[in-house]
Amino acid sequence: MIFEASDAPELRTAHVIVVANEKGGSGKSTLSIHLAVALLKAGYRVATIDLDIRQRSLTRFFENRASFANTAPWPVELPRHFAPDRAEGANVHENESAEFAVFAEAIGEVEHEYEFVVIDTPASDSYLMRLAHSLADTLISPMNDSFIDMDVLSRVHHDRARRGMVSQYAEIVIEARRKRRLVDNGLIDWVLVRNRIASLKSNNARQVDQALRKLAVELQFRVAEGLHDRVIFRELFPLGLTALDALEEANHTLTPSQVSARREIETLLGDLMLPERVEGSDHLQSRHLWFEAISGYYRELTAKKAE
Ligand SMILES: Nc1ncnc2c1ncn2[C@@H]1O[C@H](COP(=O)(O)OP(=O)(O)OP(=O)(O)O)[C@@H](O)[C@H]1O
Ligand SMILES: [Mg+2]
């Protein structure tokens, strides 16, 4: 993958963040929820799209949040939310066209007015899931510190000769990147976010970490230290709230773990290196700065891979 400065694509205003990984239960919806709320709290215009048509976790969360907002003692930020339905006709081709139309309409509605679009995806491979991948500016894949989760990216095998084969999910990302370059010369910043990290650093965590850093050069992704395993990341779902909300105003004294949770989300936002608001310039300009910074990073990673 070689990027030239002159190759800069026509960027849309909205920065599309897709949260995806074929590994079920890795934390896609949890990360989507926390990122969307964090960006809203930072004052950005945020749209959310729930492509997990069966589970609808992101949709359920924002329904809960909207109903909390009705009687909330403090202002509760809400995104513009889309929950497209799956087309269930007999003809696969027609279904894909219908799904494409609904998804494209949602993106079309928000791509110029909103600054971020956060898309949660299902664990299963589907047409819409692949489509979302090829639209991603930032692709976030949460994973647990486990060789089972790593295996979804690259086969972890005791036999050295068979180790390191690219797995199906990595193929999906490689294909999305290829398409993306053809369509608008854009790039997909792929960030692996570690999730449910245990408080005590184990031998296993260290081994996974090492293996992941090697794989990062091979598959061209970045690694971000994500979220620890904390009750606060799951207990507020029924209320549509997160650790970032003004819990202290509801006479809920923040525990040290909740304070740490907020810090972890802030650090994660920093690690994602998303376009940031710059005084005196608009979001599209920030997106261009982002593109330059990220393409520089991948140029270096490509050179490292070639060594
Ligand atoms: N950092 C965390 N701390 C505590 N619990 C977590 C954390 N991340 C995720 N969980 C919990 O783990 C479970 C799976 O998380 P989540 O639903 O976000 O994963 P997912 O990847 O969206 O799953 P699916 O593939 O089924 O869509 C949920 O019960 C969630 O509350
Ligand atoms: Mg989910």
Side-chain angles (χ1 to χ4, degrees), residues 261-281:
R262 286 185 178 175
R263 212 176 28 238
E264 275 170 21
I265 298 166
E266 268 168 33
T267 306
L268 174 60
L269 267 185
D271 288 349
L272 290 177
M273 292 163 51
L274 299 171
E276 276 178 48
R277 186 165 288 133
V278 182
E279 200 72 53
S281 69

Side-chain angles (χ1 to χ4, degrees), residues 90-105:
N91 183 314
V92 176
H93 188 65
E94 281 174 16
N95 287 345
E96 289 185 352
S97 305
E99 287 178 359
F100 177 81
V102 176
F103 186 53
E105 197 183 319

